Every structure is written in structure tokens, then in C-alpha cells.
Amino acid sequence: MDTASTVPDTVTDFLAGLDRCGITAVVQGSVITFTVEAVAGARAGRATPTGVQIDELSMWPQCPPHWVHFPADVGFAATNANVDETLPGWVRHSRQIAGWGDATEPAQAWIAHVRSVLETAS
């Protein structure tokens, strides 16, 4: 896919960052999906799909996405969630990031954030 001609530069930058981190991402409609593994918690060591809504990357990397998308079987004890702008069978969860902006590779910081969110998942 020639992302340069089909998506905004910020999305191309996000995809390139994930690629530099060894993460293969796929654009599925309005959501970018990729797979990560939590390093602790109930999902430790399990490959878990995750996603980001493309519109949330309009300020990347200065401002990270707010919503983290997961398949519906990924649950959290406490969450603000909905299915707006998600893939079928997916749910997006509201997650704030504290201290954003000082990482050399913003995509690595995003991956670390998603992994830390997964540490609290069931």
C-alpha cells in the first residue's frame, strides 16, 4: 500500500515509527491495527491486537491518541469505553497519557503505553 498518497503525513509518520520499532501495522478502514504483547498481568506474553483511529493521529507525534482500541474480549475492571469509530467486534477505551513528548521515538512510547494498558486487562 502506498500510504503516502492515501493517508495524511501524520499517519504515515505513525506507521513508519511502528515499522522502525519492528511492529507491522495494517490500515483497516479508519483504524490502524497492530499486535503487541503485555509484559505483565493476565495477558503477559499473549499477542493482542490493538488499534488507533486515524483521525486521532492528526497531531502526531506532538499529541498522542486518547482512545486505545482492542477486540471486545479484552476487558478492564474500570474503563470508559464505547464502540464509536471502531472495527466490528472491537471496543475503544479512554486512556490518558501522562508525561508525553520526551521520547526519542514516539511510536516506541505509544507501544509502551499500550502494553502498560494491557497489563491491567483481563
Side-chain angles (χ1 to χ4, degrees), residues 9-54:
D9 289 343
T10 55
V11 174
T12 301
D13 292 345
F14 182 78
L15 291 168
L18 290 175
D19 186 59
R20 286 190 297 274
C21 294
I23 301 286
T24 301
V26 177
V27 177
Q28 296 185 51
S30 65
V31 178
I32 295 171
T33 62
F34 54 98
T35 301
V36 297
E37 291 183 9
V39 294
R43 299 186 80 84
R46 291 172 47 193
T48 304
T50 185
V52 172
Q53 214 275 333
I54 287 175

